[in-house]
Amino acid sequence: MAYLEVKDLVKNYGKTRVLGGISLSLERGEVLSVIGSSGEGKTTLLRCLNNLEPIDGGKIIVGGEEIYSDGKRRALKERLKFGLVFQNFNLFPQYSALENIRLPLFLSEKRRLKTGAESLLSGKTAEETAREYLALVGLESKEKSFPSELSGGQKQRVAIARALALKPEILCFDEPTSALDPALTGEVLKVIRSLKRTDRAMIIVTHQMGFAKEISDKVAFLADGKTEEFGAPSEIFGSPQSEKLKSFLSGEKDLE
Amino acid sequence: MNLSDILWSLRYGVLYTAEIFALTLAFSLPLGLAVCFGRLCRLKPVSLLFRFYISVMRGTPLMLQLFVAYFLPYYAFGIPLKRMGESWLFIAVIAGFSLNYAAYFAEIFRGGITSADKGQHEAAAVLGFTRAQTFFRVIFPQVLKRVTPAIANEIITLVKDTSLAFAIGQAEMFTAAKRLASKEVSMLPYLAAAIVYYALCLLVAFAASRVEKRLSFSV
């Protein structure tokens, strides 16, 4: 069994079925890109994985254990296996770039101490660790800046550092560059590229086909709330099977 | 009697006004937040109860509410007001003001809280914040920033509303000014009172602008 298994995931909003059977699998160290037209449930999939939406059917299995199955009791611990980077960053405007990273780290460390879980800080303070993550995304000079003083690309890099600092095992990106103009897209993609590591999986919802082709180990194409095709990028982009994927890819090519 | 003599002889009244003002603020702001939580409660009966409370407090005159607060022990429980002790009048004034202002503050807080960006809640959730941490560390500072002008408005109104305590005989500044005016057959005590009220309001406005500057982030 793979590290992350999603089986027949179903999600309804009222009577509308948004996800009607998503299945995919991912190993640690792998990068999965989720592609598809707008409104096909890509974002909803990430929201379900991060427990922002309760699921209506199917299973999410991480490391052999089904999660979110017993209501809210263990949800917090399970949700923290995932990290999520939002399309529109959602930095906390009242805190500096450094504090945006330090505060969640500090609070989670407090909880870890209480529950006897392993520390995230390896002996350093939350502030020192936050500073390291800020340096990792190349923003060590901006630690005192407030989100309103940062460019979109810088905001997204802070948001990535903030998610990364909690050491999620599966880091999710929800169209991380869609709110950015093309000039700023590059710096964010560069950071994401540098995050590929053996002990962490990443799931990226993206419209950047070139980027998906280059960084992914697996690609999932969603259509009508289902995984229409799932496989290696060479298969998905090289020899698409379904008509839907073919027309989607040719449409994307026209745009480029 | 010149203006400075008058101001000096109003000093005890000013003190009472300041006390009513400060105590009402100290009680009504936290109470307002509590009422706001009640109003936002997901349990329908609780929410309705607080809605009713707010509508009564906003829908009846403050002066009348002060009367009710003052005479309540007698009419509700048959306790003669003489037996309520010397400080009852002052307690009733503070209670009346606090309960009334809490209703207004609650609605201001509610506006601030419900207009908070949903993304902020979600970001806090995926970062493992508890509900309390999300509220106090993430949402409330942003609410504070958004409601400061409206809260300052209410506080300035409160400075002047303290004069309503006159109606149930609390000797605050306006009462003192009125007494002095009839004793001296002069309008000057009213002018003195106006100057003090105005100065207090300026002080509040100044404090509010300082708070707004401290919360300089943009939401």
Side-chain angles (χ1 to χ4, degrees), chain B residues 23-67:
Chain B
L23 287 173
T24 301
L25 261 193
F27 290 122
S28 62
L29 280 170
L31 193 62
L33 193 59
V35 172
C36 167
F37 284 144
R39 170 77 175 77
L40 290 172
C41 182
R42 277 185 210 132
L43 293 170
K44 203 82 197 182
V46 177
S47 155
L48 278 176
L49 183 75
F50 281 96
R51 234 174 135 154
F52 179 68
Y53 170 80
I54 291 169
S55 89
V56 170
M57 284 297 161
R58 295 201 305 181
T60 56
L62 176 53
M63 196 193 281
L64 193 149
Q65 291 166 16
L66 290 175
F67 276 117

Side-chain angles (χ1 to χ4, degrees), chain A residues 6 44 48-49 56 60 65 67 96 106 132 149 160 162 164 167 236 254:
Chain A
V6 176
T44 308
C48 288
L49 291 177
D56 297 313
I60 301 171
E65 261 180 76
I67 59 170
S96 67
F106 170 75
E132 286 175 9
E149 299 160 352
I160 292 172
R162 182 175 72 169
L164 213 53
K167 296 205 172 131
I236 299 288
D254 290 346

Side-chain angles (χ1 to χ4, degrees), chain B:
Chain B
M1 243 187 160
N2 63 25
L3 199 58
S4 60
D5 290 338
I6 291 170
L7 281 170
W8 180 243
S9 58
L10 287 180
R11 64 191 182 279
Y12 294 113
V14 173
L15 214 62
Y16 267 119
T17 292
E19 265 181 86
I20 296 171
F21 172 76
L23 287 173
T24 301
L25 261 193
F27 290 122
S28 62
L29 280 170
L31 193 62
L33 193 59
V35 172
C36 167
F37 284 144
R39 170 77 175 77
L40 290 172
C41 182
R42 277 185 210 132
L43 293 170
K44 203 82 197 182
V46 177
S47 155
L48 278 176
L49 183 75
F50 281 96
R51 234 174 135 154
F52 179 68
Y53 170 80
I54 291 169
S55 89
V56 170
M57 284 297 161
R58 295 201 305 181
T60 56
L62 176 53
M63 196 193 281
L64 193 149
Q65 291 166 16
L66 290 175
F67 276 117
V68 171
Y70 181 58
F71 291 111
L72 193 69
Y74 181 71
Y75 284 107
F77 309 105
I79 306 169
L81 290 178
K82 265 182 276 175
R83 277 190 34 214
M84 291 302 293
E86 271 175 44
S87 49
W88 171 243
L89 177 63
F90 189 68
I91 294 171
V93 166
I94 300 299
F97 273 114
S98 299
L99 290 171
N100 177 277
Y101 270 78
Y104 285 94
F105 287 142
E107 283 299 274
I108 295 175
F109 284 135
R110 186 171 69 91
I113 289 172
T114 51
S115 69
D117 179 11
K118 208 171 140 236
Q120 295 288 312
H121 282 276
E122 293 181 347
V126 297
L127 292 166
F129 286 46
T130 62
R131 275 182 72 181
Q133 287 167 345
T134 303
F135 183 76
F136 287 107
R137 305 272 191 161
V138 178
I139 304 300
F140 194 65
Q142 298 174 23
V143 169
L144 217 52
K145 157 108 185 168
R146 230 176 270 129
V147 301
T148 304
I151 294 276
N153 237 345
E154 279 308 310
I155 297 179
I156 285 173
T157 307
L158 173 63
V159 171
K160 296 165 290 170
D161 272 359
T162 52
S163 62
L164 285 172
F166 166 72
I168 54 173
Q170 173 66 56
E172 42 64 69
M173 178 170 57
F174 184 73
T175 318
K178 189 165 186 303
R179 271 187 208 146
L180 199 60
S182 41
K183 198 176 117 204
E184 299 282 323
V185 202
S186 157
M187 292 299 275
L188 270 184
Y190 289 123
L191 178 65
I195 291 172
V196 177
Y197 281 122
Y198 185 62
L200 283 174
C201 288
L202 279 184
L203 213 64
V204 172
F206 175 71
S209 75
R210 285 295 294 270
V211 170
E212 273 187 71
K213 270 208 193 102
R214 274 287 307 274
L215 303 169
S216 60
F217 59 87
S218 54
V219 281

